Each structure stands twice: as C-alpha cells, then as structure tokens.
Amino acid sequence: MKPPENPSTQQLIHGGDRYGASLQSGIAQEDLLDFSANINPLGMPKGVKQAILESLSASLHYPDPLCRRLRSELAQKEGIEAESILCGNGGADLIYRLVYALRPEQALVTAPTFAEYEEALHQAGAKIRFHNLPESMELNESFLQAITAETKLLFLCNPNNPTGLLTDRSLLQKILEKTETFGIWVCIDECFLDFVREKEAYTLTGLLPRYPHLLILKSFTKLYAMPGLRLGYLLSGNRELLERIRLAGQPWSVSQPAIEAGIAALKETGYREKTLSLLEPERDRLTQALTTLGYSVWPGKANYLSFRAKGEPELYEKLLEKGILIRPLSNYHNLTKEDYRIAIRTPKENTRLLQTLQELCHPQSPTL
C-alpha cells in the first residue's frame, strides 16, 4: 500500500485519534470532545491509577511473560482454570496472534463488524467471506447457511461493533453446534459485554468445556477506561492452541503497569454498577433525541450508538469544526457515508452534542 503524502493527517480505521483530529481541525486536543472512542465516561478507577503509579519502580525489570498473578485473579473471576487464559497487549493483539497461529485458508466475518478481524486475516493471507447483515443489522439464522466445511475460522462480536446489537445465546449455540461438526474455530468477541446489564444471559464462558473450538475475547480497555495501557485476554479450553497463540507474538506483550492495573481493576467493587447507572438512562435519552432529530438509530445495548443520518454525509466534518469528534462508519462493509457512531458520555457532554446537532443541522426540530 502506498503511504499517504502527509502521514500526519492519515485517516485511520478506528476512532479515538484525537491527535489526528487536532491536526485536521486546528483545535487543541484538550479542547476536543471525543465521542469517537467508546471509553467509560467515569474514567479510570482511582485504585487502578494508584496501582499503575506503584508499579513504575518494578518496571525496572522485565514483566512476567506469563502474567501468572493476573491470570490467577482472572481465573477466579471467570470461574475457569488459569491455564485456559492468555493475556495480551489489548484485544487487537490477541486477534492478530490467533490468526497468525492458525493461518486459516478461509475465514468468515459479518458485515459490518470490528475492522481488525479483517485486517489480521488479510495479513495472514486468508480468503475472507463476508456475511452482509440485513438492514436491521441483527444476526439471524441465515448466518448458519454461510458456514461451510471450507470455513476454518469465524469471528463474531457480541454486542457487535459498531451497532451495539446483541445476538441471542440460543443462536450462538446453534452456530457452535454447526461449527463443531466441521472443526471450525470460533472467536466470540465479548469486549463490550460488560456494558450489558444482563451479560450473564449472553456470555459463552460457561460453554468452553463443551465446545473445544470456541475462543472468547475480553478486554479491560473499555470498562476501566485504560486504552492507553493495552490489556486484554483470551479464554479457551484448548491449551495447546493457547500456547501456539502465545508463541505467535513477542514474549513480553503485557507491561508491568498493565498487569498491576488489571489486578487492581478486578478488585473494584460497585464500579460496573455505577457505570451502568450512568449509561443506561443516557443511552435511552440519546436514542430518543437522535430519533427526534430524524436519524435512524440502531437500538444498541453497549456504551455507544450508531445511527443513519440521511442526506448528511458531511456530519463528521461539521461537528469537528465545533470541536466534537464522532466516528464516521463509511469504512465499514455494508455501511454508508451517512452512518455514524457516538460513544455515550456524561449527561453534560451528551447535551452539548445534541444541542450542536440541532443548531447545525436541524434548527426547525422540536427543542431537545
């Protein structure tokens, strides 16, 4: 791929590029209101911050390449053995390691979904088949017909990114039953499931012993607001595969501060409930307000919402001029230049976004 003439303004495939948005708009990073990255608006817990600070002196030495203490804590949380857990430098790191370890000839992903599945598969030389989701963007049983014996690996994101829509556990089990007959590896990405109050009704962690080709991806990034530290983990009952995945990357993929931050995060009590108490009413308010403005909103259940703004393909640029950064979705398969995603932030910040949208694009709409 030919590099851009000006790398400082290169369009990246993810949100959260405050530095690039600042260069593009001329607005200082600290003055940008970032709705493009789906991070907990409560910020990093104090206990996690303290653990990071206290870990700095230990960073004089190499971190534990096997993350033994962190895996032990995770094993208690997840109710599985530590040997069934692999930690990595964020969820994306583990996606790439998984693909490098398996080197699948053919893989299956939905459209739209998280872009790193496709990117990792491309780098490993896999043939990728896309299953276009319907206009509702809900995964349904037609996906079962897309699964064939030629499929070697499939990725599913639950709730899906960028729509935030959930897939029922019953359908996921039907998918697992079919993939198991073909020996297909299935990676279920549950990185945003912490933002779903009924997450126990959706997580597949308890099914790991039943389906030996199942892997589950989770992350500390979003709930604990620590994307700059990079920390995720992969669950699998297949320890031989986990070892292959571990060897597919560098030995010290998780830093000492990230290890200590993860251990501290697992000791937080009440933080998730406090997060849900903030996000749920704000998600409902944003959904109603965006609908009032004439946008078509997908009823997501995560800490973000996606919507279609008919006739407004330049909404990103208009909002950026006002110091508000949202996520355009035109680089997702099966989405358009009129599709956008916003994170759910604090009530004050959400109000500013809505007021700006009304002033810029819908001055005749009812007052929000």
Side-chain angles (χ1 to χ4, degrees), residues 272-291:
R272 178 172 175 265
E273 178 58 37
K274 186 177 180 182
T275 297
L276 295 177
S277 295
L278 168 67
L279 290 177
E280 288 173 333
E282 284 302 299
R283 184 172 60 212
D284 292 343
R285 180 168 79 100
L286 283 169
T287 299
Q288 181 176 353
L290 291 170
T291 302

Side-chain angles (χ1 to χ4, degrees), residues 51-345:
I52 295 169
L53 293 173
E54 293 175 357
S55 74
L56 294 180
S57 59
S59 296
L60 173 66
H61 308 286
Y62 284 107
D64 176 6
L66 301 180
C67 302
R68 295 172 181 90
R69 289 174 49 238
L70 176 55
R71 286 167 56 223
S72 177
E73 297 289 341
L74 281 168
Q76 293 185 47
K77 175 197 175 187
E78 299 290 351
I80 62 176
E81 296 180 343
E83 291 75 15
S84 295
I85 304 171
L86 176 66
C87 296
N89 189 241
D93 172 47
L94 292 165
I95 290 168
Y96 281 81
R97 287 187 180 215
L98 168 61
V99 172
Y100 294 159
L102 292 177
R103 297 282 174 178
E105 293 181 6
Q106 186 177 121
L108 176 64
V109 297
T110 61
T113 196
F114 186 50
E116 292 304 327
Y117 312 146
E118 177 186 354
E119 184 61 29
L121 290 164
H122 273 312
Q123 290 195 23
K127 177 183 178 182
I128 306 172
R129 290 192 299 115
F130 296 96
H131 176 79
N132 284 343
L133 296 174
E135 188 172 350
S136 68
M137 294 297 159
E138 294 178 331
L139 189 70
N140 57 42
E141 293 200 3
S142 66
F143 185 71
L144 293 168
Q145 305 307 312
I147 301 170
T148 66
E150 290 72 34
T151 307
K152 303 303 178 185
L153 171 65
L154 69 85
F155 284 98
L156 286 173
C157 192
N158 196 33
N160 197 16
N161 184 0
T163 62
L165 297 176
L166 286 159
T167 300
D168 286 341
R169 184 186 176 114
S170 59
L171 176 55
L172 292 175
Q173 284 194 250
K174 290 180 181 179
I175 292 169
L176 290 174
E177 290 292 338
K178 183 169 184 178
T179 54
E180 200 62 42
T181 62
F182 293 127
I184 299 170
W185 295 103
V186 179
C187 183
I188 305 293
D189 184 340
E190 296 186 356
C191 286
F192 285 100
L193 199 54
D194 280 327
F195 295 103
V196 177
R197 185 172 292 278
E198 309 84 5
K199 73 172 185 176
E200 296 305 322
Y202 292 93
T203 183
L204 300 186
T205 301
L207 298 181
L208 285 169
R210 181 173 171 181
Y211 298 102
H213 290 83
L214 170 64
L215 302 105
I216 300 175
L217 182 67
K218 301 194 179 190
S219 173
F220 286 83
T221 295
K222 307 303 191 284
L223 179 62
Y224 297 106
M226 42 192 272
L229 280 178
R230 314 302 305 135
L231 181 60
Y233 58 102
L234 194 64
L235 308 179
S236 173
N238 190 313
R239 297 176 187 178
E240 185 274 334
L241 176 61
L242 285 183
E243 179 64 6
R244 286 168 57 192
I245 297 171
R246 184 182 73 82
L247 294 173
Q250 57 148 321
W252 300 285
S253 63
V254 183
S255 69
Q256 192 63 38
I259 289 173
E260 299 301 335
I263 293 171
L266 292 173
K267 296 177 181 177
E268 288 291 325
T269 58
Y271 185 74
R272 178 172 175 265
E273 178 58 37
K274 186 177 180 182
T275 297
L276 295 177
S277 295
L278 168 67
L279 290 177
E280 288 173 333
E282 284 302 299
R283 184 172 60 212
D284 292 343
R285 180 168 79 100
L286 283 169
T287 299
Q288 181 176 353
L290 291 170
T291 302
T292 299
L293 291 175
Y295 300 132
S296 299
V297 185
W298 286 289
K301 298 299 182 183
N303 62 328
Y304 51 87
L305 287 171
S306 291
F307 61 95
R308 178 160 291 170
K310 279 288 189 181
E312 298 183 37
E314 298 178 352
L315 188 59
Y316 169 84
E317 290 80 7
K318 291 180 178 179
L319 286 172
L320 185 56
E321 290 178 0
K322 299 295 184 179
I324 297 176
L325 183 60
I326 65 172
R327 174 68 163 92
L329 300 179
S330 59
N331 66 331
Y332 279 84
H333 293 281
N334 203 23
L335 291 177
T336 74
K337 292 182 178 180
E338 297 175 328
D339 297 327
Y340 304 92
R341 189 192 68 199
I342 56 169
I344 299 169
R345 299 191 58 83

Side-chain angles (χ1 to χ4, degrees), residues 27-48:
I27 299 172
Q29 289 187 58
E30 58 269 22
D31 294 329
L32 286 171
L33 181 52
D34 188 5
F35 282 86
S36 71
N38 309 316
I39 308 301
N40 191 333
L42 293 180
M44 190 183 294
K46 291 182 180 179
V48 174

